Structure formats: structure tokens, C-alpha cells
Amino acid sequence: MTRKSEIIFNEANKYIPNGVSSPMRTFSLVGGDPIILESAKGTKIIDVDGREYTDFLSGFGAIFLGHSREEISQAVAAQLDKGLVVGLSTEIEKELARKIVESTPAIDKLRFVVSGSEAVMTALRIARAYTDRKYFVRFVGSYHGHADALLAQPGGNVAVAVKGTTNGVAENNVIMCEYNNSEQLRQIFEERGHEIAAVIVEPFATNMGFVKPHANFHQDIRQLCTDYGSLFIFDEVVTGFRFRFGGVSALLGVDPDLTTFGKIIGGGAPVGAYGGKEKFMKLVEIGNKVFQSGTFAGNPITMAAGNAALDLMAKPGFYEAMDEKGALLEKEIKQNFEKYDIPFHFTRFGALSGIAFRRSAADMQNYSDVKQQEYEIYKNVHLAMREKGFLMAPSLEEPIFLNDAHTNDDIIRFAEALAVSIAEQIK
């Protein structure tokens, strides 16, 4: 019998390229038919064929409080009765902005947009306008959304295939650097520092699976940007509000010029935000150098969901509890890897983590390390985990996303199933 999900996906292909509106949803990197969603509650996802999965994808990190969290659903429902998008500002927009600005010392002012891509695009626009320079540095393997400037094919010699590039981009103003390579970045600035408008970096490289920065990496970026008059942009679309109430920059002792947010601050609704020092944010004021606008920017539905989400995360003990979930996952993963003699390495910070699918006990440092992983093993493991009722990211180059709804039992069962699935592949 043909499954309902297969019928829907085949029908979607008639009207939507690849049948999806975002490429990861094809599951093309891991095999198997895409999951077609019926409903989601807490950590449980039900597909249109009635199959249940315990979710460790968590909306690619946007779901931090569990699916269909009652407090968020109630806030959205209340706003629905008041109106959707009417082209006006709201008090709840001001309130969400206040909470974010007060949470993060690096930010004086902030504006909302609809996606992380928009937030980063505007931050780069501000940097170019402020410095009157056109080039910026990004790191090989990182992903900052799909704005043109961020997907340009890089010039020069790049050691490995560059993730996230496209044709159809008019200008190539990007300079590539290896993540965690402060010396290479220093050489870039010595050669072209007078041309560089900004350096953009993820605090943790979460689009390579999970790669931590070395101890002084962000401080080195900060110093070079200061020395050469370039702006330092911290892309916290994934990390913002994940480890503390606010940007992780405060936790890491980093002082960026501009910061971008997304995912968590929308409570599951579409959102992006960019903020920073007053002198940079002034550029988007009316009549100044930088223009940004959007019908759905700061829309009331997202603002209602975001406020409800941040109120929940502001409660005492929330982040301590999330760290405990991460610590439990780490303990269970490592115990099971030892039990089944699995030579892969687990890395964690707070409730965000990843597994290096390579036979090494060392942390991955850059995208060259990432590309040494055994992608075919992950593909087979992903399929096996689906059969066992667990949903992971449909790419090896994404983290394991814990959320507040995950129970200890969810975590323990997941860790055991994952170790068994890997052991079956490396015999």
C-alpha cells in the first residue's frame, strides 16, 4: 500500500521544486522519504501515516520549549483575536525588544525582521555603510542564511568544498577563512584589512555539526577588527538564549559590534533580529545611511509567541535544568559508546551537542575535520533511528538539539538507540 506521506510528497513535487520550500526537508542527505507532519506536541511528532517520533531536531533549534507549549499557544490565540498584521507597531514588540536588549550587554538597540537571513543581511549592510568598505570575512563551513552576499562563490584557494554557495550572485565580496585559525585571519587582515567591512562568526560552529571555538578565537577576531576598523558581527541565530537568558557573548566574554538573533526568540514563530551598539544602529534610523523595512517585521503573532517564550525561559532554574539535560545526554552517550566500543567523539556545551562520526577522540576544529567524517554511516544511522522512533537532523552537519520538553527517559532511550544504531554500522 502506498503511504499517505509518499502520495503527498509526490503531489507536492508538481507544484514546489523538490516538493519542499527548504532543501533539508527532502532528507536527500540521509535517504528515505521525507517526513510529512501531521502534528507535534512536547517532544513527540506524528506524521500523516500515524508514525510517532521522539524529536531531537527541535525545528533546527527553533523549538526550545517543546512543540505546542501551552503558554505560547495561549498567547498566540489571544493575539489572533486582536489581529494579525495591520502595519502598525505594538506594545508587545517594544516589550520583546526591551527583554532582549536588557539581556545582552553588547546590545544598545535592536530591530526585528522575519528570519535570521534577513538579520544577517542587514547587519552586513550596516557594516559596509559604516566602514565604506565592501568585503567581509566568513569562515569555511559556517552558514549565515541565504542572502546573496553570504552565498557568493569565494575567490582564491579554499582547502575544502565551500558549504552554502550559489550561482546567481552579482558580486563576490566574501573572503574565506578557516574556522579556529587565528593566524590565517591575521594574515588576511595584514594583506586586506583596509578593505574589510566586517568579520561574521558563529560563537559555536553549529552548521558543521558542533565545533567549539578555541580558547582565544573570538578575542583574536575582536582585536583584529578593532585594530583595522572593521565591525565584529556575532551570529547568534542559533546560540541566542540557548545557554543563558540573552546572547552567549556575555557568557564568553566577547563584545561584538553587532549581534543577530533568530529561532528561539520567536517561540516557534518566524523571526529574526539584529542589534548592537548605538552608533551602528543609528544608521537604520529614518534619513540615515541604511534602509531596512518589512511588512511582517515585528508582527504581533511572533511578538506574542516570543514574549511568552522568554517569560518561560526567564524563570529561576531554567538554564540550570537545560544544562542538566545536556549533562545527562553526555553521560549516557559516553557510557553507551564505551559499552558498544564506538570510537566516535561527543562534544557538548550546555544543551547543545554533536557527535563527530570519525574514529578519533579529538574535537573537530574546522570544516576540513568535519569533511573527514563517515557520512554514509550517518545516513544509515539516521534511517535506523527513524525506524526506532527517533528524529535527528537530516544532515550530519547539524547538532543534536535538546529542548525543555525532553524528559530523562527521552534522553536515556535516545542515547541507547543511537549507540546501538551506530554499532550496527561499524561492525
Side-chain angles (χ1 to χ4, degrees):
M1 179 184 296
T2 303
R3 292 180 291 110
K4 188 176 179 180
S5 56
E6 184 179 350
I7 294 171
I8 293 172
F9 182 59
N10 289 338
E11 284 289 310
N13 265 284
K14 297 177 182 178
Y15 312 109
I16 307 171
N18 295 125
V20 297
S21 293
S22 187
M24 282 284 194
R25 298 175 195 171
T26 63
F27 283 48
S28 60
L29 298 177
V30 289
D33 291 334
I35 292 173
I36 308 296
L37 176 69
E38 176 65 30
S39 65
K41 179 71 175 178
T43 61
K44 306 302 180 186
I45 284 177
I46 309 294
D47 72 11
V48 293
D49 293 295
R51 295 171 299 189
E52 181 179 280
Y53 307 89
T54 303
D55 182 20
F56 285 83
L57 171 61
S58 300
F60 291 94
I63 300 298
F64 197 47
L65 295 162
H67 296 286
S68 304
R69 181 70 176 248
E70 183 178 0
E71 296 91 335
I72 297 175
S73 296
Q74 289 175 349
V76 169
Q79 183 57 48
L80 287 174
D81 286 338
K82 298 178 181 179
L84 299 176
V85 175
V86 294
L88 300 172
S89 296
T90 61
E91 184 177 4
I92 54 176
E93 177 186 0
K94 178 267 296 181
E95 275 302 295
L96 187 57
R98 178 188 63 78
K99 291 169 186 174
I100 297 172
V101 169
E102 290 181 354
S103 76
T104 305
I107 298 175
D108 295 328
K109 287 188 176 180
L110 169 141
R111 259 195 186 179
F112 293 108
V113 286
V114 184
S115 69
S117 291
E118 276 190 81
V120 171
M121 175 184 71
T122 311
L124 290 172
R125 189 179 297 160
I126 291 170
R128 286 169 167 162
Y130 185 84
T131 62
D132 197 25
R133 302 171 183 175
K134 68 177 183 178
Y135 289 94
F136 68 92
V137 177
R138 75 174 180 94
F139 296 92
V140 178
S142 293
Y143 177 72
H144 302 282
H146 66 96
D148 274 8
L150 294 158
L151 297 181
Q153 301 280 355
N157 296 319
V158 179
V160 296
V162 177
K163 179 179 182 177
T165 61
T166 182
N167 293 333
V169 175
E171 290 185 273
N172 177 8
N173 298 327
V174 61
I175 302 169
M176 303 300 298
C177 182
E178 187 179 62
Y179 194 83
N180 269 329
N181 193 332
S182 295
E183 184 54 38
Q184 184 183 20
L185 184 63
R186 190 171 290 109
Q187 292 173 2
I188 289 170
F189 267 97
E190 287 174 356
E191 294 172 5
R192 305 187 64 178
H194 64 286
E195 298 178 284
I196 297 171
V199 177
I200 184 167
V201 69
E202 290 184 284
F204 298 90
T206 60
N207 285 279
M208 303 185 209
F210 187 63
V211 178
K212 289 183 176 180
H214 71 62
N216 298 313
F217 183 51
H218 296 314
Q219 285 74 15
D220 291 343
I221 298 172
R222 173 68 279 172
Q223 190 60 56
L224 285 166
C225 286
T226 300
D227 291 347
Y228 286 87
S230 307
L231 271 63
F232 183 15
I233 303 173
F234 229 37
D235 182 356
E236 294 224 40
V237 169
V238 173
T239 61
F241 287 83
R242 192 170 300 277
F243 309 113
R244 63 174 294 275
F245 192 80
V248 75
S249 58
L251 200 60
L252 298 178
V254 179
D255 185 32
D257 298 308
L258 294 169
T259 300
T260 60
F261 290 110
K263 295 187 185 288
I264 288 176
I265 66 166
V271 73
Y274 63 94
K277 303 291 191 294
E278 169 80 18
K279 63 180 178 179
F280 305 123
M281 293 301 293
K282 279 185 70 68
L283 269 67
V284 298
E285 293 180 356
I286 296 171
N288 218 323
K289 293 182 177 181
V290 175
F291 180 78
Q292 171 266 312
S293 180
T295 299
F296 292 94
N299 74 85
I301 297 303
T302 295
M303 299 298 98
N307 273 294
L310 263 61
D311 287 347
L312 289 166
M313 291 185 285
K315 291 183 177 180
F318 176 84
Y319 286 97
E320 290 79 2
M322 289 303 304
D323 188 63
E324 288 174 6
K325 292 178 193 289
L328 175 62
L329 178 62
E330 180 174 18
K331 178 175 76 73
E332 293 293 322
I333 289 280
K334 288 183 174 179
Q335 284 180 353
N336 281 299
F337 277 18
E338 184 176 353
K339 174 182 174 181
Y340 292 101
D341 195 27
I342 295 170
F344 295 163
H345 183 62
F346 179 87
T347 304
R348 175 182 76 93
F349 188 86
L352 194 64
S353 60
I355 295 168
F357 276 68
R358 60 178 190 153
R359 297 163 199 262
S360 170
D363 283 338
M364 296 187 295
Q365 295 294 316
N366 50 50
Y367 200 50
S368 294
D369 289 346
V370 171
K371 297 304 287 184
Q372 293 172 12
Q373 294 179 96
E374 301 189 46
Y375 284 74
E376 190 66 21
I377 287 180
Y378 183 79
K379 176 180 178 179
N380 293 332
V381 166
H382 190 276
L383 286 167
M385 290 295 281
R386 282 180 63 174
E387 290 299 316
K388 292 178 173 72
F390 295 95
L391 177 61
M392 299 173 66
S395 167
L396 178 56
E397 298 179 17
E398 292 282 341
I400 298 169
F401 288 107
L402 290 176
N403 65 64
D404 182 53
H406 282 120
T407 65
N408 288 352
D409 183 62
D410 288 335
I411 292 168
I412 291 168
R413 290 188 304 104
F414 171 77
E416 171 71 18
L418 182 59
V420 169
S421 298
I422 295 173
E424 291 169 349
Q425 295 301 316
I426 63 173
K427 288 179 181 177

